[in-house]
């Protein structure tokens, strides 16, 4: 099976712009989670989607949003970019939301805001 | 509610010596526990997981972890460190359902030649 893919891998944006990141989960996986990773804050949970519904959300401002499509692919959007949004954004998928399911991570999208 | 605490932010060992990365958890119910590894500029990779079967769990690359309910711990060990083990390690707890997956703050392992 193909792994989790994320596009684009690298992105440079200007403060105030918006950005959309894409994640394609492993085939058959219905849960997709997003994380932000920075040197200062570490790995922080953004949100999780399952069957097109957001199940959990982390402590991020409303500028961060996401959605999941019927084929389980997911996108996250960040509007009005700030310098502090520069980070590695990781996507992870798993078959369901049971606690015993491990997450499979993509390689991440490196976002740089200038 | 659930939480996980990684007791050391940095651990340094010499090549060939044992590795111990400590993790304590808190959960209202029996959780599943995981260890992930992240090499520089890479995504996270699953090392091993505990899901209420055997308390001693063996993972990839010679790592293993022991679930101790009485101590609420899930420490990661390896008998002999290799240079390629230098990475950041995350302990994770998940009860499932509507509980989000909870990551520890990570432990950076340095392996000295």
């Amino acid at each position: 099976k193909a792994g989790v893919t994320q596009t684009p891998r690298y992105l440079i944006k200007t403060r105030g712009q918006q950005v959309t990141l894409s994640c394609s989960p492993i085939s058959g996986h219905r849960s997709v989670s997003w994380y932000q990773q920075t040197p200062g804050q570490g790995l922080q949970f953004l949100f999780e989607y399952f069957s097109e519904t957001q199940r959990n959300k982390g402590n991020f401002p409303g500028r961060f949003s996401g959605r999941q499509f019927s084929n389980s692919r997911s996108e996250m959007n960040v509007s009005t970019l700030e310098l502090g949004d520069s980070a590695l954004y990781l996507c992870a998928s798993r078959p369901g939301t049971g606690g015993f399911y491990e997450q499979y991570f993509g390689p991440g999208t490196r976002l740089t805001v200038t | 509610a659930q939480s996980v605490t990684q007791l050391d932010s940095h651990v340094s060992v010499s090549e060939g010596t044992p590795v111990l990365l400590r993790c304590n958890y808190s959960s209202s119910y029996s959780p599943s526990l995981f260890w992930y590894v992240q090499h520089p500029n890479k995504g996270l990779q699953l090392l091993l997981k505990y899901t209420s079967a055997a308390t001693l769990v063996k993972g990839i690359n010679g790592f293993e972890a022991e679930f101790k309910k009485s101590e609420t711990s899930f420490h990661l060990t390896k008998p002999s460190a290799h240079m390629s083990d230098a990475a950041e390690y995350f302990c994770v707890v998940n009860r499932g359902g509507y509980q989000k997956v909870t990551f520890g703050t990570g432990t950076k392992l340095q392996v000295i030649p």
Side-chain angles (χ1 to χ4, degrees):
Chain A
K1 277 186 180 179
V4 178
T5 58
Q6 293 186 244
T7 55
R9 292 292 312 279
Y10 302 92
L11 205 50
I12 299 176
K13 288 287 188 178
T14 303
R15 193 170 48 183
Q17 289 185 315
Q18 76 165 16
V19 67
T20 299
L21 311 182
S22 180
C23 172
S24 292
I26 292 172
S27 177
H29 286 194
R30 297 168 61 193
S31 165
V32 173
S33 297
W34 288 90
Y35 297 86
Q36 182 196 66
Q37 188 175 34
T38 61
Q41 298 296 318
L43 195 66
Q44 293 188 285
F45 171 75
L46 279 157
F47 25 66
E48 179 180 18
Y49 287 88
F50 178 76
S51 294
E52 302 179 66
T53 301
Q54 187 180 89
R55 289 176 62 87
N56 273 303
K57 190 176 190 306
N59 295 323
F60 279 82
R63 300 185 297 108
F64 292 81
S65 63
R67 59 177 175 169
Q68 186 180 33
F69 302 95
S70 58
N71 61 359
S72 294
R73 191 177 69 84
S74 177
E75 290 182 346
M76 67 162 283
N77 184 275
V78 188
S79 62
T80 319
L81 283 166
E82 300 178 358
L83 296 178
D85 297 333
S86 295
L88 180 67
Y89 290 87
L90 293 165
C91 167
S93 76
R94 51 183 180 155
T97 57
F100 45 85
Y101 287 123
E102 66 265 32
Q103 291 181 310
Y104 294 82
F105 283 82
T109 294
R110 174 75 63 184
L111 172 64
T112 302
V113 182
T114 62
Chain B
Q2 62 186 25
S3 65
V4 60
T5 302
Q6 292 185 243
L7 298 165
D8 306 293
S9 58
H10 290 83
V11 170
S12 183
V13 302
S14 297
E15 189 176 17
T17 64
V19 175
L20 170 63
L21 305 184
R22 298 182 296 165
C23 172
N24 285 351
Y25 71 92
S26 172
S27 177
S28 304
Y29 299 88
S30 296
S32 295
L33 295 157
F34 309 81
W35 276 98
Y36 286 84
V37 61
Q38 185 180 32
H39 288 93
N41 298 312
K42 300 285 188 183
L44 278 73
Q45 180 186 17
L46 179 71
L47 275 177
L48 50 81
K49 68 176 182 179
Y50 166 78
T51 56
S52 75
T55 57
L56 183 62
V57 182
K58 295 188 183 299
I60 61 172
N61 300 334
F63 284 95
E64 63 180 38
E66 187 171 7
F67 173 73
K68 292 186 176 180
K69 187 175 182 179
S70 60
E71 300 176 11
T72 60
S73 69
F74 190 58
H75 301 334
L76 182 70
T77 60
K78 183 174 181 178
S80 176
H82 191 272
M83 293 300 296
S84 61
D85 295 329
E88 189 162 20
Y89 293 79
F90 293 91
C91 182
V92 178
V93 62
N94 185 23
R95 183 167 69 79
Y98 281 90
Q99 284 281 345
K100 65 179 183 177
V101 178
T102 303
F103 278 74
T105 51
T107 298
K108 288 185 178 172
L109 176 64
Q110 179 186 23
V111 182
I112 302 168

